[in-house]
Amino acid sequence: TGGPTRPGSWTGPFLKSPTSPNAGELYSFPRAPFSIGDDTGATKAVTQERQAEADLATYGTLSPYRGKVEIGEVHLGRVVDDKTRDERKERSVDGEYVVLEVTKQAAEPIDVSGWALASGKYKERTLIPYGVQTLILGQTQPAERIVVSSGNQLIVTSGKSPVGSSFRENMCTGYLAQYQDFTPYLSSRCPSPTKEFDTYYTGPSFDAKFCRDHVASIGSCEYDPFVPKELPSACKPFVDQYLHHNGCVATHRTEAEFLKDTWRIYLGKSRTLYADTYETVRLLDADGRIVDVYAY
């Protein structure tokens, strides 16, 4: 049925039952198509069709989004308690995440809010929540449906969000990592502080060099509220307005390259969702149909 890398190799084979008690048939193993030598196009088509039928019988109804969104990776959290008898509390829930990839077959945007990730071993499913397109710290923002397109990536973490909600990455989100821990790490590429200074500083030009030298010492994606008193009076207001997350968002949110291709989605669980071994993670659409399966 496709070799040991196919999810079916971890969950089967299953005996095929007779069509009815009086049919005079025996229980039998499902048959897999095979060929000798190079497959012709027709043979490959038949093989793919039969594989789809086998997956349908094994996992359930196939989704029309199958092949458009795929499970790329499943990462387990680090071991935090190797003495517990509950294997789901043995690992860190904040370090457990699934990477979903939106493929080139997705010709139109796809709404994934209400989809679910399900554990085959624990027989549980967890819904993908709403998120915030452009996060602003310190403000209550209404959550919206998460709509993705070809080339997008979703990092779905089992634990709680360090900033209180799911969000889409942008050119300013690197600032969030200064005071919060993210797994995997957020990119540390933010607009250059010196470039921001050259573009937006409005203080007196005759002493601007001293402020620029200070700004050049500030690292990318780092907010440093301390500004020496001997610097020009316009220096601290500039730093406080532009060189932090919210200031960066206010400055750049209308630019074409502001939004990135990755969503950070948090399921808000207090314990892990997936087993260490012999696990089958399923991605389900809003109607419970199989989008993809990842087995390990």
Side-chain angles (χ1 to χ4, degrees), residues 52-111:
E53 292 175 356
D55 289 348
L56 176 63
T58 302
Y59 301 114
T61 304
L62 300 182
S63 169
Y65 299 105
R66 182 178 173 87
K68 298 180 180 180
V69 182
E70 297 178 346
I71 302 175
E73 305 170 57
V74 175
H75 291 261
L76 303 178
R78 62 181 177 85
V79 175
V80 292
D81 185 359
D82 56 4
K83 296 181 180 180
T84 180
R85 295 185 178 182
D86 185 349
E87 67 173 351
R88 298 181 65 179
K89 294 184 177 180
E90 180 178 295
R91 294 184 178 274
S92 166
V93 67
D94 295 323
E96 180 182 80
Y97 62 93
V98 175
V99 179
L100 305 180
E101 306 284 353
V102 185
T103 72
K104 294 181 179 179
Q105 296 186 38
E108 298 180 353
I110 299 174
D111 182 351

Side-chain angles (χ1 to χ4, degrees), residues 195-252:
K195 187 176 180 180
E196 298 288 85
F197 181 88
D198 293 341
T199 304
Y200 301 108
Y201 182 73
T202 58
S205 59
F206 65 87
D207 58 2
K209 177 184 181 302
F210 301 103
C211 184
R212 192 180 193 280
D213 290 343
H214 171 72
V215 168
S217 69
I218 301 175
S220 178
C221 302
E222 293 183 5
Y223 172 54
D224 184 0
F226 174 75
V227 177
K229 294 182 179 179
E230 61 269 20
L231 292 182
S233 59
C235 194
K236 183 169 176 54
F238 167 79
V239 171
D240 290 341
Q241 181 174 352
Y242 293 99
L243 301 187
H244 56 86
H245 176 266
N246 284 6
C248 177
V249 170
T251 303
H252 298 283

Side-chain angles (χ1 to χ4, degrees), residues 59-61 88 114-128 267 269 273-274 280-290:
Y59 301 114
T61 304
R88 298 181 65 179
W115 287 25
L117 284 166
S119 163
K121 189 169 184 177
Y122 298 136
K123 310 300 181 186
E124 295 180 10
R125 65 176 65 183
T126 306
L127 295 180
I128 293 177
L267 302 180
K269 298 300 179 181
L273 299 177
Y274 318 113
T280 302
V281 180
R282 296 178 297 160
L283 176 63
L284 311 174
D285 67 17
D287 295 316
R289 298 168 296 186
I290 301 295

Side-chain angles (χ1 to χ4, degrees), residues 1 103 138 192 255 266:
T1 58
T103 72
S192 164
E255 297 177 11
Y266 296 88

